[in-house]
Amino acid sequence: MTDSIIWNDTDDAPESVAALVRERDRDIYLCLLLAPKSCRDALFALHAFNSEILRARMGVSEAAIGQMRMKWWYDALERIFAGDPPHHPVALAMSRAVPLGLDRAALEAIVEAQADALAASPDYSLAALLGRADAEQGPLFRQMLDLLGARDPETDRRAEAAARAWGLVTTLRRQPVTPGAVREVHAAALEQRHVAGSPSGTSAPVFLLMILADIYLDRIAKAEFDLRHSLVRRADPGGLALPKLWWAARRA
């Protein structure tokens, strides 16, 4: 069983799940605030699930414990899609989101990607980082499009690039990329971000993350690609981020 948040019968699952995302991933939280109300709770449930899997990988001292927690969630997916979710706020919120477009195979792929990363030796080559972004972020971005009802070949192509860009940006901010590789990874992130384009139409909430990617990539460049610089290590996107996101969403 996970130990993420305590559930009791008086809790409101959507509010609990949104609070969890706000605590663990401020960037995603800010973007989802601007998503349509009709699917906002489902999007929060999806990202709360992803945060549980990430925590299982990165928040434990022993790989075996992480694998056990991931296995719990992998098994929980069967119950969620059978209409009998575990008594856990994230699982309950996900169960409510199933009719809106959640796909069990995609969610299982997210768990499997993190389990593979937990077991693998660290590899920060550009090819490995792109592969990791495809495996970890790709299914997540496609599920967001499913919940928004925004799937089409062109949008899928852009979302694939956005997933890669966000994966590389996240790695640059949080992982020990070797100094000699920082410029190469940064350039690749910029290239993928360019392919992703600007938020537009019903898919806009997915691509709002690219507004934040711009902020973080600009900070890395201003810090002369020193990932130890305080500007790069800053955890939040800054006070102007929400107005930028709001304006981008309004234009979209």
Side-chain angles (χ1 to χ4, degrees), residues 5 17 71 77 83 102 105 108 123 139 159 167 173 201 204 237 240 250:
I5 43 182
V17 167
K71 179 64 166 56
L77 288 174
L102 286 184
E108 288 176 343
D123 183 351
R173 294 176 60 217
L240 292 178
R250 186 165 184 254

Side-chain angles (χ1 to χ4, degrees), residues 129-209:
L129 293 179
L130 287 171
R132 193 179 307 162
D134 286 340
E136 297 175 8
Q137 299 289 341
L140 187 64
F141 275 62
R142 288 191 293 274
Q143 281 283 267
M144 291 176 70
L145 292 179
D146 285 332
L147 294 173
L148 290 162
R151 294 293 297 272
D152 62 68
E154 176 59 18
T155 304
D156 285 357
R157 182 187 70 84
R158 292 175 54 224
E160 180 182 11
R164 288 183 167 188
W166 191 247
L168 294 178
V169 168
T170 301
T171 298
L172 286 168
R173 294 176 60 217
R174 301 177 184 174
Q175 302 292 330
V177 179
T178 57
V182 172
R183 289 179 182 270
E184 180 185 26
V185 176
H186 185 275
L190 280 175
E191 180 182 0
Q192 295 298 325
R193 189 266 173 270
H194 176 73
V195 174
S198 300
S200 62
T202 57
S203 66
V206 175
F207 296 97
L208 287 177
L209 280 169

Side-chain angles (χ1 to χ4, degrees), residues 68-125:
M68 289 175 59
R69 292 182 178 178
M70 289 187 199
K71 179 64 166 56
W72 187 91
W73 276 107
Y74 196 92
D75 292 342
L77 288 174
E78 181 175 358
R79 293 183 58 185
I80 288 168
F81 280 85
D84 180 32
H87 203 57
H88 184 286
V90 175
L92 290 167
M94 289 181 67
S95 181
R96 298 174 189 178
V98 167
L100 298 180
L102 286 184
D103 178 72
R104 181 177 169 182
L107 298 172
E108 288 176 343
I110 292 172
V111 180
E112 290 166 358
Q114 293 295 345
D116 290 344
L118 183 62
S121 300
D123 183 351
Y124 296 102
S125 65

